[in-house]
């Protein structure tokens, strides 16, 4: 075990011995003896008083759409309640901003290149070590309910009831302990219903890990009527970078396919009926029409005016997206109420997070993937009664690679040497180590693919950010977020920053060495502009041509500035 991890575990173990949290001295002694002899906790009839862990996870929830983070778009009262009673992290960064890989990082406490799940096209090796397996071996009962999205049957949980792939917003089929089941209703509610049912039927003599993982607010943002009505008549403010022309940036920003103006489809915008229309109940169809029947006429009024059309698309996107967030917030309220009414709140750690951030019109975008802050950072709120001072905010550089280690230390389970993150327990208890990490490594791998965000890696130290786009291009970007928080000015060629760039390049190499990252294979040949390269992906020829035309239009707009 690394010296840092060993020290963190030892300090936490000593704090447990001092009676700060949930172990009695007798229970700890019993745990130590049994662990040494058998590698797991005793099955003694004495109630195991280690904390329960409830991990509530959403898909694509931007921190800008959470009022505890200062949203000017929406209100999230139940998420805010967690923040008021716990700790909110302002610098929680992801290692790879895309759905499946983020989940694999959380399961393993390892970066994508180590756990093997680098893109959504990969298949997770479920045989490998995960933190739920370790918790289960230590006496925890474990369950995952909702979105799994790791392209393999669930392993490591006593109970699993998961969506198939992305899952729909209505009437979801699910896989329950290996068997297919179907439900009629709203997926966001059903995931909560199933979670509460599991909690009611759990063994009360054992601590639990429950991973409640929502589909929402993932694309295509299919709202539920009462939550849509919260925003139906609201006019949302436009981000300052809404009309970004990508001046002073490289080809990566110019050649992406995640823009509100060009990428959102008619189904995204509800101009046409959803693909699951025929499987919807009559009541569901009626509610859908109540929300969206006016959209085709609205579209006809603005479709020939590019400026008005882009703004209209943004307003539609915000109403639908934020309605999905509101539905999740409501369900979190149900979960918190259950904990309180059943005497579980004081001994249950509640964690709220998303698999990554998301763009809500910043740079004219939706989706994620880039290392720019809106997708690089994710919400993280932790309520841990007796350990976390209510209403605290923390600015330390933390990451989703730290979640597994944190849960293990909370449960008194040793952190394996091969995990690559750090336990957040000292930070949660108000004791950020003096030698806490000073930078975070990032790597995105999925290109060429949907949304056409180029492969890149980078490092962030809390102020400066260095990014290397290396496939289809060979370009560097460098940002001073203290002076340029919206990341609009690439300073890589500015002489006044040369020493900082040199330092950050060295830090990038140090991180890669520490994390065992293979050298990147730089490929500057463009799929859009090099015919021979395009031929290597014959099935994407039409897509490449479309993106070339879009990028050329963007270049013309930039040239006219």
């Amino acid at each position: 075990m690394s010296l840092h991890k060993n020290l963190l575990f030892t300090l936490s173990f000593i704090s447990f011995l001092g009676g700060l949290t949930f172990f009695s001295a007798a229970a700890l002694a019993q745990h130590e003896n049994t662990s040494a002899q058998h590698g797991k906790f005793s099955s003694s009839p004495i109630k195991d008083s280690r904390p329960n862990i409830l991990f509530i996870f959403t898909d694509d929830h931007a921190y800008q759409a959470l009022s505890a983070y200062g949203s000017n778009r929406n209100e999230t009262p139940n998420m805010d309640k967690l923040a008021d009673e716990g700790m909110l992290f302002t610098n929680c960064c992801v290692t790879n901003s895309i759905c499946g890989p983020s989940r694999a990082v959380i399961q393993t406490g390892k970066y994508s290149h180590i756990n093997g799940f680098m893109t959504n096209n990969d298949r997770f090796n479920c045989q490998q070590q995960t933190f739920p397996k370790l918790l289960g071996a230590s006496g925890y009962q474990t369950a995952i309910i909702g979105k799994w999205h790791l392209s393999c049957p669930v392993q490591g949980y006593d109970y699993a009831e998961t969506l198939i792939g992305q899952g729909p917003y209505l009437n979801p089929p699910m896989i329950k302990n290996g068997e297919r089941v179907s439900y009629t209703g709203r997926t966001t509610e059903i995931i909560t219903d199933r979670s509460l049912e599991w909690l009611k039927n759990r063994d009360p003599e054992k601590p639990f890990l429950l991973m409640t993982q929502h589909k929402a607010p993932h694309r295509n943002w299919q709202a539920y009527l009462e939550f849509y009505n919260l925003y139906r008549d609201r006019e949302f403010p436009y981000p300052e970078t809404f009309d970004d022309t990508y001046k002073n940036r490289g080809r990566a920003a110019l050649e992406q396919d995640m823009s509100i103006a060009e990428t959102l489809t008619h189904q995204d915008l509800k101009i046409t009926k959803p693909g699951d229309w025929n499987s919807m109940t009559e009541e569901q169809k009626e509610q859908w029409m109540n929300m969206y029947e006016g959209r085709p006429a609205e579209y006809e009024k603005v479709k020939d005016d590019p400026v008005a059309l882009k703004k209209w698309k943004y307003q539609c996107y915000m109403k639908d997206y934020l309605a999905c967030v509101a539905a999740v917030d409501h369900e979190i309220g149900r979960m918190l109420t259950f904990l309180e009414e059943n005497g579980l709140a004081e001994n249950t750690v509640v964690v709220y997070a998303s698999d990554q951030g998301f763009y809500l019109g910043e740079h004219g975008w939706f989706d994620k993937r880039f290392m720019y802050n809106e997708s690089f950072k994710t919400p993280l709120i932790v309520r841990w009664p007796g350990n976390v001072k209510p209403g605290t905010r923390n600015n330390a550089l933390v990451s989703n690679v730290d979640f597994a280690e944190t849960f293990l230390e909370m449960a008194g389970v040793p952190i394996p040497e091969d995990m690559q993150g750090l336990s957040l327990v000292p930070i949660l208890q108000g004791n950020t180590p003096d030698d806490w990490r000073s930078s975070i490594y990032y790597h995105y791998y999925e290109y060429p693919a949907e949304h056409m965000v180029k492969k890149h890696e980078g490092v962030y130290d809390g102020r400066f950010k260095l990014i290397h786009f290396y496939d289809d291009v060979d370009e560097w970007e460098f940002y001073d977020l203290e002076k340029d928080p919206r990341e609009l000015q690439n300073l890589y060629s500015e002489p006044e920053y040369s020493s900082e760039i040199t330092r950050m390049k060295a830090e990038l190499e140090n991180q890669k060495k520490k994390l065992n990252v293979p050298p990147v294979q730089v490929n500057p040949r463009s799929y859009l502009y090099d015919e021979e390269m395009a031929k290597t992906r014959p099935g994407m020829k039409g897509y490449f041509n479309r993106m070339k035309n879009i990028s050329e239009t963007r270049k013309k707009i930039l040239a006219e500035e």
Side-chain angles (χ1 to χ4, degrees):
M1 185 181 294
S2 71
L3 178 61
H4 196 169
K5 287 180 180 175
N6 223 337
L7 178 60
L8 290 181
F9 179 72
T10 302
L11 289 173
S12 178
F13 182 71
I14 292 170
S15 74
F16 280 123
L17 280 172
L20 288 176
T21 322
F22 305 102
F23 279 106
S24 68
L28 270 171
Q30 184 178 38
H31 154 56
E32 280 293 286
N33 291 334
T34 308
S35 296
Q37 296 174 21
H38 307 292
K40 61 182 180 180
F41 286 88
S42 170
S43 58
S44 160
I46 298 174
K47 183 179 178 180
D48 190 334
S49 59
R50 291 177 291 164
N52 305 308
I53 300 169
L54 171 59
F55 182 69
I56 304 175
F57 201 49
T58 46
D59 196 316
D60 295 343
H61 186 190
Y63 62 84
Q64 315 93 282
L66 205 162
S67 44
Y69 279 87
S71 172
N72 65 350
R73 298 174 172 93
N74 66 326
E75 300 77 36
T76 50
N78 293 299
M79 297 177 195
D80 294 356
K81 173 181 169 64
L82 283 177
D84 290 341
E85 297 174 353
M87 181 178 287
L88 179 148
F89 289 85
T90 62
N91 261 325
C92 183
C93 306
V94 297
T95 63
N96 183 358
S97 184
I98 186 168
C99 302
S102 176
R103 292 160 198 273
V105 167
I106 291 170
Q107 290 287 312
T108 62
K110 300 174 185 177
Y111 279 77
S112 300
H113 65 283
I114 299 294
N115 68 48
F117 199 86
M118 295 182 287
T119 78
N120 274 341
N121 297 316
D122 291 324
R123 185 178 179 86
F124 185 62
N125 173 14
C126 287
Q127 302 297 324
Q128 67 184 295
Q129 170 188 275
T130 63
F131 86 88
K133 291 179 182 179
L134 297 172
L135 288 183
S138 78
Y140 270 71
Q141 54 194 317
T142 59
I144 182 168
I145 298 171
K147 185 172 177 179
W148 171 242
H149 202 224
L150 288 177
S151 304
C152 68
V154 179
Q155 286 191 19
Y157 295 89
D158 302 321
Y159 181 92
E161 191 162 6
T162 55
L163 299 172
I164 299 171
Q166 295 284 0
Y169 272 97
L170 294 168
N171 310 327
M174 301 180 77
I175 303 298
K176 179 179 178 180
N177 293 334
E179 300 294 329
R180 185 184 176 107
V181 295
S182 296
Y183 295 100
T184 299
R186 301 167 167 182
T187 300
T188 305
E189 292 178 359
I190 289 167
I191 289 170
T192 302
D193 290 343
R194 303 309 302 152
S195 297
L196 294 178
E197 186 68 17
W198 183 84
L199 285 172
K200 292 172 185 176
N201 292 311
R202 77 192 191 286
D203 182 350
E205 297 301 310
K206 295 181 179 180
F208 66 78
L209 165 73
L210 172 58
M211 309 277 281
T212 296
Q213 305 200 157
H214 289 282
K215 173 202 173 65
H218 192 279
R219 190 181 184 188
N220 67 347
W221 318 295
Q222 192 164 320
Y224 305 142
L225 181 59
E226 66 269 35
F227 302 108
Y228 182 82
N229 285 340
L230 295 173
Y231 304 107
R232 184 189 290 266
D233 299 320
R234 190 174 298 190
E235 183 80 9
F236 296 97
Y238 297 95
E240 291 185 32
T241 59
F242 185 64
D243 293 315
D244 191 357
T245 58
Y246 317 117
K247 183 180 181 180
N248 300 319
R249 260 73 47 82
R251 279 179 42 208
L254 277 169
E255 295 178 9
Q256 45 68 34
D257 187 24
M258 45 188 272
S259 76
I260 288 171
E262 295 120 339
T263 310
L264 289 177
T265 69
H266 282 199
Q267 281 204 357
D268 290 331
L269 297 163
K270 317 306 188 293
I271 296 169
T272 57
K273 293 177 181 176
D276 60 350
W277 178 261
N278 291 333
S279 64
M280 291 165 61
T281 68
E282 291 305 312
E283 180 182 6
Q284 290 167 352
K285 291 178 180 179
E286 182 180 346
Q287 291 193 356
W288 192 94
M289 293 300 293
N290 184 302
M291 293 184 285
Y292 300 128
E293 65 180 344
R295 293 261 178 108
E298 293 172 5
Y299 170 72
E300 289 297 322
K301 291 179 182 179
V302 297
K303 68 178 183 179
D304 297 322
D305 181 341
V307 173
L309 178 59
K310 181 181 176 182
K311 289 183 175 181
W312 177 79
K313 287 181 176 180
Y314 172 76
Q315 296 296 332
C316 293
Y317 167 40
M318 283 297 91
K319 291 174 184 178
D320 296 345
Y321 178 93
L322 294 176
C324 293
V325 171
V328 171
D329 187 77
H330 176 78
E331 297 307 312
I332 290 175
R334 290 179 61 201
M335 298 288 286
L336 297 181
T337 297
F338 180 90
L339 296 180
E340 291 162 5
E341 292 180 348
N342 289 273
L344 293 170
E346 289 303 309
N347 197 32
T348 300
V349 181
V350 180
V351 178
Y352 177 75
S354 180
D355 50 1
Q356 66 267 313
F358 212 67
Y359 294 95
L360 302 182
E362 297 85 7
H363 307 291
W365 295 340
F366 68 98
D367 207 67
K368 55 263 186 180
R369 302 167 197 264
F370 278 108
M371 196 185 171
Y372 308 130
N373 270 0
E374 290 85 358
S375 60
F376 177 50
K377 294 188 178 182
T378 188
L380 175 62
I381 302 171
V382 181
R383 186 181 78 177
W384 189 7
N387 283 266
V388 173
K389 182 180 177 181
T392 56
R393 297 172 71 89
N394 187 276
N395 301 322
L397 292 174
V398 305
S399 171
N400 59 347
V401 78
D402 301 327
F403 293 1
E405 294 84 344
T406 302
F407 297 147
L408 291 173
E409 185 166 358
M410 285 174 169
V413 178
I415 299 170
E417 290 183 1
D418 59 352
M419 285 191 172
Q420 296 179 297
L422 300 170
S423 169
L424 303 181
V425 167
I427 292 178
L428 290 166
Q429 294 179 335
N431 301 305
T432 302
D434 292 337
D435 61 345
W436 190 257
R437 69 163 64 92
S438 59
S439 68
I440 285 182
Y441 175 73
Y442 178 86
H443 204 144
Y444 175 77
Y445 298 89
E446 192 171 304
Y447 182 85
E450 184 179 13
H451 296 304
M452 293 295 283
V453 174
K454 302 182 190 302
K455 293 179 183 178
H456 58 289
E457 64 176 351
V459 67
Y460 170 65
D461 71 356
R463 174 176 175 178
F464 298 109
K465 186 182 293 182
L466 179 72
I467 308 172
H468 182 206
F469 294 94
Y470 65 85
D471 188 18
D472 191 79
V473 293
D474 182 11
E475 295 181 349
W476 291 82
E477 296 183 3
F478 179 82
Y479 297 96
D480 181 348
L481 279 88
E482 184 176 282
K483 296 181 178 179
D484 178 26
R486 295 174 184 84
E487 297 168 284
L488 297 175
Q489 300 293 326
N490 177 15
L491 303 171
Y492 185 74
S493 299
E494 296 297 321
E496 65 183 289
Y497 284 95
S498 61
S499 62
E500 292 293 352
I501 292 169
T502 299
R503 180 182 66 83
M504 290 293 280
K505 280 192 170 182
E507 182 62 19
L508 176 62
E509 292 307 311
N510 287 339
Q511 284 279 4
K512 292 176 68 173
K513 182 178 180 180
K514 173 184 173 184
L515 298 171
N516 297 314
V517 183
V520 298
Q521 300 299 313
V522 177
N523 166 39
R525 296 176 63 187
S526 170
Y527 287 99
L528 305 190
Y529 295 95
D530 186 323
E531 290 186 7
E532 293 303 313
M533 278 298 295
K535 287 178 182 178
T536 65
R537 301 293 182 101
M540 300 184 73
K541 179 179 179 180
Y543 191 32
F544 292 155
N545 287 336
R546 171 180 170 271
M547 289 312 305
K548 181 178 179 180
N549 291 335
I550 288 174
S551 64
E552 289 300 318
T553 300
R554 291 172 182 161
K555 288 179 184 178
K556 289 179 182 178
I557 294 172
L558 181 57
E560 292 169 358
E561 280 198 333

